[in-house]
Short mmCIF file of all heavy atoms in Angstrom, two decimals:
data_model
loop_
_atom_site.label_atom_id
_atom_site.label_comp_id
_atom_site.label_asym_id
_atom_site.label_seq_id
_atom_site.Cartn_x
_atom_site.Cartn_y
_atom_site.Cartn_z
N ALA U 73 -11.96 9.53 -13.85
CA ALA U 73 -12.45 10.89 -13.56
C ALA U 73 -12.06 11.85 -14.68
O ALA U 73 -12.85 12.72 -15.07
CB ALA U 73 -11.90 11.36 -12.21
N SER U 74 -10.84 11.71 -15.21
CA SER U 74 -10.42 12.55 -16.35
C SER U 74 -11.34 12.33 -17.54
O SER U 74 -11.79 13.29 -18.19
CB SER U 74 -8.97 12.23 -16.75
OG SER U 74 -8.05 13.08 -16.09
N LEU U 75 -11.62 11.06 -17.85
CA LEU U 75 -12.48 10.75 -19.00
C LEU U 75 -13.89 11.30 -18.77
O LEU U 75 -14.51 11.85 -19.69
CB LEU U 75 -12.52 9.24 -19.24
CG LEU U 75 -13.28 8.79 -20.48
CD1 LEU U 75 -12.62 9.33 -21.76
CD2 LEU U 75 -13.37 7.27 -20.55
N ALA U 76 -14.39 11.17 -17.54
CA ALA U 76 -15.71 11.73 -17.22
C ALA U 76 -15.70 13.25 -17.41
O ALA U 76 -16.67 13.84 -17.90
CB ALA U 76 -16.12 11.35 -15.80
N ASN U 77 -14.60 13.90 -17.03
CA ASN U 77 -14.50 15.35 -17.25
C ASN U 77 -14.56 15.69 -18.74
O ASN U 77 -15.30 16.61 -19.14
CB ASN U 77 -13.19 15.88 -16.64
CG ASN U 77 -13.28 16.05 -15.13
OD1 ASN U 77 -14.37 16.24 -14.59
ND2 ASN U 77 -12.14 15.97 -14.46
N VAL U 78 -13.82 14.96 -19.54
CA VAL U 78 -13.81 15.21 -20.98
C VAL U 78 -15.21 15.01 -21.56
O VAL U 78 -15.66 15.76 -22.43
CB VAL U 78 -12.78 14.31 -21.70
CG1 VAL U 78 -12.93 14.40 -23.21
CG2 VAL U 78 -11.36 14.68 -21.29
N GLU U 79 -15.92 14.01 -21.05
CA GLU U 79 -17.27 13.68 -21.56
C GLU U 79 -18.37 14.51 -20.90
O GLU U 79 -19.55 14.39 -21.27
CB GLU U 79 -17.56 12.19 -21.36
CG GLU U 79 -16.67 11.27 -22.19
CD GLU U 79 -16.95 11.42 -23.68
OE1 GLU U 79 -18.00 10.96 -24.14
OE2 GLU U 79 -16.12 12.04 -24.39
N GLY U 80 -18.03 15.30 -19.87
CA GLY U 80 -19.01 16.14 -19.20
C GLY U 80 -20.01 15.36 -18.36
O GLY U 80 -21.17 15.75 -18.21
N VAL U 81 -19.55 14.24 -17.78
CA VAL U 81 -20.42 13.40 -16.95
C VAL U 81 -20.01 13.53 -15.48
O VAL U 81 -18.82 13.48 -15.15
CB VAL U 81 -20.34 11.92 -17.38
CG1 VAL U 81 -20.98 11.00 -16.35
CG2 VAL U 81 -21.02 11.74 -18.73
N ASP U 82 -21.00 13.72 -14.61
CA ASP U 82 -20.77 13.80 -13.17
C ASP U 82 -20.75 12.38 -12.60
O ASP U 82 -21.78 11.71 -12.52
CB ASP U 82 -21.90 14.61 -12.54
CG ASP U 82 -21.90 14.55 -11.02
OD1 ASP U 82 -20.80 14.48 -10.43
OD2 ASP U 82 -22.98 14.56 -10.42
N LEU U 83 -19.55 11.93 -12.20
CA LEU U 83 -19.39 10.55 -11.71
C LEU U 83 -20.26 10.27 -10.50
O LEU U 83 -20.78 9.17 -10.34
CB LEU U 83 -17.93 10.30 -11.32
CG LEU U 83 -16.95 9.83 -12.39
CD1 LEU U 83 -15.58 9.59 -11.74
CD2 LEU U 83 -17.46 8.56 -13.07
N GLU U 84 -20.36 11.26 -9.60
CA GLU U 84 -21.13 11.05 -8.38
C GLU U 84 -22.61 10.80 -8.70
O GLU U 84 -23.23 9.89 -8.12
CB GLU U 84 -20.99 12.28 -7.48
CG GLU U 84 -21.42 12.04 -6.06
CD GLU U 84 -20.76 13.03 -5.10
OE1 GLU U 84 -19.63 12.76 -4.67
OE2 GLU U 84 -21.35 14.07 -4.81
N GLY U 85 -23.16 11.55 -9.64
CA GLY U 85 -24.53 11.31 -10.07
C GLY U 85 -24.66 9.98 -10.78
O GLY U 85 -25.66 9.27 -10.63
N ALA U 86 -23.61 9.63 -11.54
CA ALA U 86 -23.65 8.40 -12.32
C ALA U 86 -23.69 7.16 -11.43
O ALA U 86 -24.30 6.15 -11.79
CB ALA U 86 -22.44 8.34 -13.25
N VAL U 87 -23.06 7.24 -10.27
CA VAL U 87 -22.97 6.06 -9.40
C VAL U 87 -23.99 6.09 -8.27
O VAL U 87 -24.08 5.16 -7.48
CB VAL U 87 -21.52 5.92 -8.86
CG1 VAL U 87 -21.31 6.79 -7.63
CG2 VAL U 87 -21.17 4.46 -8.58
N ALA U 88 -24.80 7.16 -8.22
CA ALA U 88 -25.72 7.35 -7.09
C ALA U 88 -26.72 6.21 -6.96
O ALA U 88 -27.19 5.91 -5.86
CB ALA U 88 -26.46 8.69 -7.23
N ARG U 89 -27.05 5.53 -8.06
CA ARG U 89 -28.05 4.45 -7.98
C ARG U 89 -27.54 3.25 -7.21
O ARG U 89 -28.30 2.35 -6.89
CB ARG U 89 -28.54 4.06 -9.38
CG ARG U 89 -27.50 3.47 -10.27
CD ARG U 89 -27.92 3.61 -11.76
NE ARG U 89 -26.78 3.38 -12.62
CZ ARG U 89 -26.42 2.19 -13.07
NH1 ARG U 89 -27.13 1.12 -12.78
NH2 ARG U 89 -25.35 2.06 -13.82
N TYR U 90 -26.20 3.23 -6.89
CA TYR U 90 -25.65 2.16 -6.06
C TYR U 90 -25.59 2.55 -4.58
O TYR U 90 -25.04 1.80 -3.77
CB TYR U 90 -24.24 1.79 -6.53
CG TYR U 90 -24.21 1.02 -7.83
CD1 TYR U 90 -23.97 1.67 -9.05
CD2 TYR U 90 -24.40 -0.36 -7.85
CE1 TYR U 90 -23.94 0.96 -10.25
CE2 TYR U 90 -24.36 -1.07 -9.05
CZ TYR U 90 -24.14 -0.41 -10.23
OH TYR U 90 -24.10 -1.11 -11.41
N ALA U 91 -26.11 3.70 -4.22
CA ALA U 91 -25.90 4.22 -2.86
C ALA U 91 -26.65 3.41 -1.80
O ALA U 91 -26.16 3.23 -0.69
CB ALA U 91 -26.31 5.69 -2.80
N ASP U 92 -27.84 2.93 -2.10
CA ASP U 92 -28.68 2.34 -1.05
C ASP U 92 -29.06 0.88 -1.27
O ASP U 92 -29.26 0.15 -0.31
CB ASP U 92 -29.98 3.16 -0.91
CG ASP U 92 -29.70 4.59 -0.54
OD1 ASP U 92 -28.88 4.81 0.37
OD2 ASP U 92 -30.26 5.50 -1.17
N ALA U 93 -29.21 0.48 -2.51
CA ALA U 93 -29.66 -0.88 -2.81
C ALA U 93 -29.21 -1.25 -4.21
O ALA U 93 -28.80 -0.37 -4.99
CB ALA U 93 -31.18 -0.96 -2.71
N CYS U 94 -29.26 -2.52 -4.51
CA CYS U 94 -28.90 -2.97 -5.85
C CYS U 94 -29.86 -2.35 -6.86
O CYS U 94 -31.09 -2.50 -6.72
CB CYS U 94 -28.97 -4.50 -5.93
SG CYS U 94 -28.78 -5.14 -7.61
N PRO U 95 -29.35 -1.63 -7.88
CA PRO U 95 -30.26 -0.97 -8.83
C PRO U 95 -31.03 -1.97 -9.69
O PRO U 95 -32.02 -1.59 -10.32
CB PRO U 95 -29.33 -0.10 -9.68
CG PRO U 95 -27.97 -0.67 -9.51
CD PRO U 95 -27.94 -1.32 -8.16
N ARG U 96 -30.60 -3.23 -9.70
CA ARG U 96 -31.30 -4.22 -10.52
C ARG U 96 -32.46 -4.86 -9.76
O ARG U 96 -33.59 -4.88 -10.22
CB ARG U 96 -30.30 -5.29 -10.99
CG ARG U 96 -30.83 -6.19 -12.10
CD ARG U 96 -29.71 -7.06 -12.67
NE ARG U 96 -28.65 -6.28 -13.27
CZ ARG U 96 -28.56 -6.02 -14.59
NH1 ARG U 96 -29.46 -6.49 -15.40
NH2 ARG U 96 -27.56 -5.31 -15.05
N CYS U 97 -32.16 -5.37 -8.53
CA CYS U 97 -33.21 -6.09 -7.78
C CYS U 97 -33.85 -5.23 -6.69
O CYS U 97 -34.88 -5.61 -6.13
CB CYS U 97 -32.64 -7.37 -7.16
SG CYS U 97 -31.48 -7.08 -5.82
N GLY U 98 -33.23 -4.11 -6.35
CA GLY U 98 -33.78 -3.23 -5.34
C GLY U 98 -33.54 -3.68 -3.91
O GLY U 98 -34.05 -3.07 -2.97
N GLU U 99 -32.74 -4.76 -3.74
CA GLU U 99 -32.49 -5.29 -2.41
C GLU U 99 -31.11 -4.88 -1.90
O GLU U 99 -30.21 -4.57 -2.68
CB GLU U 99 -32.57 -6.83 -2.42
CG GLU U 99 -33.89 -7.40 -2.89
CD GLU U 99 -35.01 -7.17 -1.89
OE1 GLU U 99 -34.73 -7.15 -0.67
OE2 GLU U 99 -36.16 -7.00 -2.32
N ALA U 100 -30.95 -4.88 -0.56
CA ALA U 100 -29.65 -4.63 0.07
C ALA U 100 -29.50 -5.59 1.25
O ALA U 100 -30.24 -5.44 2.21
CB ALA U 100 -29.55 -3.18 0.55
#
Side-chain angles (χ1 to χ4, degrees):
Chain U
S74 268
L75 185 63
N77 281 334
V78 170
E79 294 293 288
V81 167
D82 170 34
L83 273 183
E84 196 157 274
V87 84
R89 64 201 164 89
Y90 287 97
D92 300 314
C94 172
R96 193 170 298 263
C97 70
E99 301 290 327

